[in-house]
Amino acid sequence: MSIASTITTFQNELQPIGVQLIAVSKTKSNEEILEAYQAGQRVFGENQVQELVGKYEELPKDIQWHLVGHLQTNKVKYIAPFVTLIHSVDSFKVLKEIDKQAEKAGRKIDCLLQIYIADEETKYGLDHAELIELLRSPEFQSLKHVRIRGLMGIATNTENQKMIKEEFYELKMLFDGIKTTFFPQEHHFDTLSMGMSSDYKIAIEQGSNMVRIGSQIFGKRSIKHFKATE
Ligand SMILES: *Cc1c(COP(=O)(O)O)cnc(C)c1O
């Protein structure tokens, strides 16, 4: 299937059930992204700051760019002027820097807190205790230029469907609990980003409303690009 027809198929499947599609275009060319764009896709995700900035500059300005990969504090300034949603806030330090750079850019930046749900050493994210500590701290409440929209998680890379299902279930429970406890009046705390090409169906069954799909739209990536190193 072509990129365009895959986008259409995904949109037909996801729009009626209220799930937002993020087309993860890391390592893919402007031409490939434009093919998805022509099919109506406007939201794209990248996992590296440099690549994200380059594509932002070269591609149509009505594209909404999401950062889905690990963000180093010293790189926040490059994306603060334009990024639509940062999925990968995994420390208080980086959140404070986003707040600072958002203020400089005269914006408020939407963020998801990335939660560590996988049974793997290599993945980033806050654990439950760190999440609660962050949300409880007075310093967090004083940040005026970030808006927490919800949570994001990456399941273990495994064939074990039951395990993936349990990880997503746990994240949904956490999301519901955090919403009730910390954001009861905030309608904008509404986003649960979970699910990629291999596990998005399980994620949606477990309550995801934002999926990050790369290889199923654009085909396999030639270089292993996933784990940005710091
Ligand atoms: C690459 C990436 C995706 C998309 O992965 P696919 O398996 O190609 O769909 C989703 N989320 C994050 C954080 C990624 O880095």
Side-chain angles (χ1 to χ4, degrees):
M1 260 210 295
S2 70
I3 291 173
S5 60
T6 312
I7 289 288
T8 306
T9 307
F10 265 112
Q11 291 296 11
N12 289 342
E13 179 185 349
L14 300 179
Q15 265 168 7
I17 55 172
V19 175
Q20 199 183 1
L21 172 66
I22 314 305
V24 179
S25 50
K26 62 193 185 198
T27 79
K28 298 299 171 179
S29 67
N30 290 352
E31 288 65 35
E32 288 166 301
I33 294 172
L34 282 171
E35 203 182 323
Y37 179 88
Q38 248 98 59
Q41 182 67 25
R42 291 293 180 273
V43 191
F44 292 86
E46 289 284 333
N47 76 334
Q48 290 197 353
V49 165
Q50 207 180 345
E51 195 174 339
L52 176 58
V53 171
K55 287 174 176 173
Y56 163 73
E57 284 168 356
E58 291 161 13
L59 287 160
K61 286 294 171 285
D62 63 338
I63 290 181
Q64 297 176 23
W65 292 102
H66 289 199
L67 183 78
V68 301
H70 178 67
L71 177 58
Q72 288 171 247
T73 307
N74 62 353
K75 295 198 174 157
V76 174
K77 56 179 177 284
Y78 302 117
I79 60 169
F82 69 90
V83 70
T84 299
L85 180 65
I86 300 174
H87 291 234
S88 44
V89 175
D90 57 6
S91 71
F92 198 10
K93 185 169 158 235
V94 78
L95 187 64
K96 282 189 282 193
E97 179 66 14
I98 295 167
D99 185 76
K100 182 175 145 193
Q101 296 299 335
E103 181 171 16
K104 270 196 193 164
R107 308 180 62 210
K108 192 163 195 165
I109 297 181
D110 281 349
C111 296
L112 304 177
L113 299 171
Q114 182 174 352
I115 309 302
Y116 181 88
I117 57 170
D119 186 21
E120 285 171 6
E121 287 292 319
T122 46
K123 303 252 164 83
Y124 295 102
L126 302 158
D127 65 26
H128 292 199
E130 289 166 338
L131 172 67
I132 307 276
E133 188 187 323
L134 188 159
L135 294 172
R136 281 213 180 120
S137 73
E139 204 183 351
F140 166 69
Q141 282 151 32
S142 73
L143 302 181
K144 294 287 176 276
H145 301 274
V146 288
R147 185 166 70 158
I148 305 299
R149 294 295 306 267
L151 305 180
M152 181 274 238
I154 304 174
T156 304
N157 185 6
T158 172
E159 298 288 305
N160 184 342
Q161 310 281 300
K162 183 166 172 285
M163 181 172 183
I164 295 170
K165 182 176 164 181
E166 283 167 4
E167 290 172 359
F168 286 149
Y169 174 82
E170 195 191 328
L171 184 57
K172 174 65 161 75
M173 290 300 117
L174 182 67
F175 175 84
D176 291 343
I178 293 294
K179 181 164 177 59
T180 312
T181 311
F182 294 96
F183 302 92
Q185 313 293 350
E186 285 93 334
H187 296 296
H188 61 254
F189 190 91
D190 61 1
T191 304
L192 181 54
S193 167
M194 57 183 198
M196 322 192 341
S197 291
S198 59
D199 57 19
Y200 79 91
K201 288 201 166 107
I202 308 174
I204 291 169
E205 275 166 23
Q206 296 307 316
S208 167
N209 59 16
M210 185 176 276
V211 293
R212 310 177 309 271
I213 311 286
S215 46
Q216 253 205 63
I217 295 170
F218 296 105
K220 285 209 163 61
R221 291 175 292 273
S222 46
I223 21 171
K224 186 107 174 117
H225 203 256
F226 197 121
K227 288 156 194 158
T229 46
E230 194 164 20

Coordinates of all heavy atoms in Angstrom, one line a residue, residues 24-29 32 46-48 51 55 215 218-228:
V24 N 4.7 9.1 12.6 CA 6.1 9.3 13.1 C 7.0 9.1 11.8 O 7.2 8.0 11.3 CB 6.4 8.2 14.2 CG1 7.9 8.4 14.6 CG2 5.5 8.4 15.4
S25 N 7.6 10.3 11.5 CA 8.3 10.3 10.2 C 9.9 10.4 10.3 O 10.6 10.7 9.4 CB 7.9 11.6 9.5 OG 7.9 12.7 10.3
K26 N 10.4 10.0 11.5 CA 11.8 10.0 11.7 C 12.5 9.2 10.6 O 12.0 8.1 10.2 CB 12.2 9.5 13.1 CG 11.7 8.0 13.3 CD 11.8 7.7 14.8 CE 11.5 6.2 15.0 NZ 11.1 5.9 16.4
T27 N 13.7 9.7 10.2 CA 14.5 9.1 9.1 C 13.9 9.2 7.7 O 14.5 8.9 6.7 CB 14.9 7.6 9.3 OG1 13.8 6.8 9.0 CG2 15.4 7.4 10.8
K28 N 12.6 9.6 7.6 CA 11.9 9.6 6.3 C 12.1 11.0 5.6 O 12.3 12.0 6.3 CB 10.4 9.3 6.5 CG 10.2 8.0 7.1 CD 10.7 6.9 6.2 CE 10.7 5.5 6.8 NZ 11.2 4.4 5.9
S29 N 12.1 11.0 4.3 CA 12.4 12.2 3.5 C 11.2 13.1 3.5 O 10.1 12.7 3.8 CB 12.7 11.7 2.1 OG 11.6 11.2 1.5
E32 N 8.5 11.8 1.3 CA 7.6 10.8 1.9 C 6.6 11.5 2.8 O 5.4 11.2 2.9 CB 8.4 9.8 2.6 CG 9.2 8.9 1.7 CD 10.3 8.0 2.4 OE1 11.2 8.7 3.0 OE2 10.2 6.8 2.4
E46 N 8.5 13.3 15.5 CA 10.0 13.0 15.2 C 10.6 12.7 16.6 O 10.1 13.1 17.6 CB 10.6 14.3 14.6 CG 10.2 14.6 13.2 CD 10.9 13.6 12.2 OE1 12.0 13.1 12.5 OE2 10.3 13.4 11.1
N47 N 11.7 12.0 16.6 CA 12.3 11.7 17.9 C 13.7 12.4 18.1 O 14.3 12.2 19.1 CB 12.4 10.2 18.1 CG 13.5 9.6 17.4 OD1 13.9 10.1 16.3 ND2 14.0 8.5 17.9
Q48 N 14.1 13.2 17.1 CA 15.4 13.9 17.3 C 15.2 15.4 17.0 O 14.6 15.7 15.9 CB 16.5 13.3 16.4 CG 16.9 11.9 16.9 CD 18.2 11.5 16.3 OE1 18.8 12.2 15.4 NE2 18.7 10.4 16.8
E51 N 16.6 16.8 13.5 CA 15.8 16.4 12.4 C 14.4 17.1 12.4 O 13.9 17.6 11.4 CB 15.6 14.9 12.5 CG 15.1 14.2 11.2 CD 15.1 12.7 11.4 OE1 15.8 12.2 12.3 OE2 14.3 12.1 10.6
K55 N 13.1 19.6 9.4 CA 11.8 19.4 8.7 C 10.8 20.5 8.9 O 10.1 20.8 7.9 CB 11.3 18.0 9.1 CG 12.1 16.8 8.5 CD 11.7 15.5 9.1 CE 12.5 14.4 8.4 NZ 12.2 13.1 9.0
S215 N 6.5 2.9 11.1 CA 6.8 1.9 10.1 C 5.6 1.4 9.3 O 5.7 1.1 8.1 CB 7.6 0.8 10.6 OG 7.1 0.3 11.8
F218 N 5.1 4.4 6.8 CA 6.3 4.8 5.9 C 7.1 3.6 5.5 O 8.1 3.8 4.7 CB 7.1 5.9 6.6 CG 6.4 7.2 6.8 CD1 6.0 7.5 8.1 CD2 6.2 8.1 5.8 CE1 5.4 8.7 8.4 CE2 5.5 9.3 6.0 CZ 5.1 9.6 7.3
G219 N 6.9 2.5 6.0 CA 7.8 1.3 5.8 C 8.9 1.3 6.8 O 9.1 2.2 7.6
K220 N 9.6 0.2 6.8 CA 10.7 0.0 7.7 C 11.8 1.1 7.6 O 12.0 1.6 6.5 CB 11.4 -1.4 7.5 CG 10.5 -2.5 8.0 CD 11.4 -3.7 8.4 CE 10.7 -4.7 9.2 NZ 9.5 -5.3 8.5
R221 N 12.3 1.4 8.8 CA 13.5 2.4 8.8 C 14.8 1.6 8.6 O 14.9 0.5 9.1 CB 13.5 3.1 10.1 CG 12.4 4.1 10.2 CD 12.4 4.8 11.6 NE 12.1 3.8 12.7 CZ 10.9 3.5 13.1 NH1 9.8 4.0 12.5 NH2 10.7 2.6 14.1
S222 N 15.7 2.2 7.8 CA 16.9 1.4 7.5 C 17.9 1.5 8.7 O 18.5 0.5 9.0 CB 17.6 2.0 6.2 OG 17.6 3.4 6.3
I223 N 17.9 2.6 9.4 CA 18.8 2.7 10.5 C 18.0 2.6 11.8 O 16.9 3.1 11.9 CB 19.6 4.0 10.6 CG1 19.0 5.1 9.8 CG2 21.1 3.8 10.2 CD1 19.6 6.4 10.0
K224 N 18.6 1.9 12.8 CA 17.9 1.8 14.1 C 18.1 3.2 14.7 O 19.2 3.6 15.1 CB 18.6 0.7 14.9 CG 17.8 0.5 16.2 CD 17.1 -0.8 16.2 CE 16.5 -1.0 17.6 NZ 15.0 -1.1 17.6
H225 N 17.0 3.9 14.9 CA 17.0 5.3 15.2 C 16.3 5.6 16.5 O 16.2 6.7 16.9 CB 16.2 5.9 14.0 CG 16.5 7.4 13.8 ND1 15.7 8.4 14.2 CD2 17.5 8.0 13.2 CE1 16.2 9.5 13.9 NE2 17.3 9.3 13.3
F226 N 15.9 4.5 17.1 CA 14.9 4.6 18.2 C 15.5 5.2 19.4 O 15.0 6.1 20.0 CB 14.4 3.2 18.5 CG 13.1 3.2 19.3 CD1 12.0 2.6 18.8 CD2 13.1 3.8 20.5 CE1 10.8 2.6 19.5 CE2 11.9 3.8 21.2 CZ 10.8 3.2 20.7
K227 N 16.6 4.6 19.9 CA 17.1 5.0 21.2 C 18.2 6.1 21.1 O 19.3 5.8 20.9 CB 17.7 3.8 22.0 CG 16.6 2.9 22.4 CD 17.2 1.5 22.6 CE 16.0 0.4 22.7 NZ 16.5 -0.9 22.3
A228 N 17.7 7.3 21.1 CA 18.6 8.4 21.1 C 19.5 8.3 22.3 O 19.1 8.1 23.4 CB 17.9 9.8 21.1

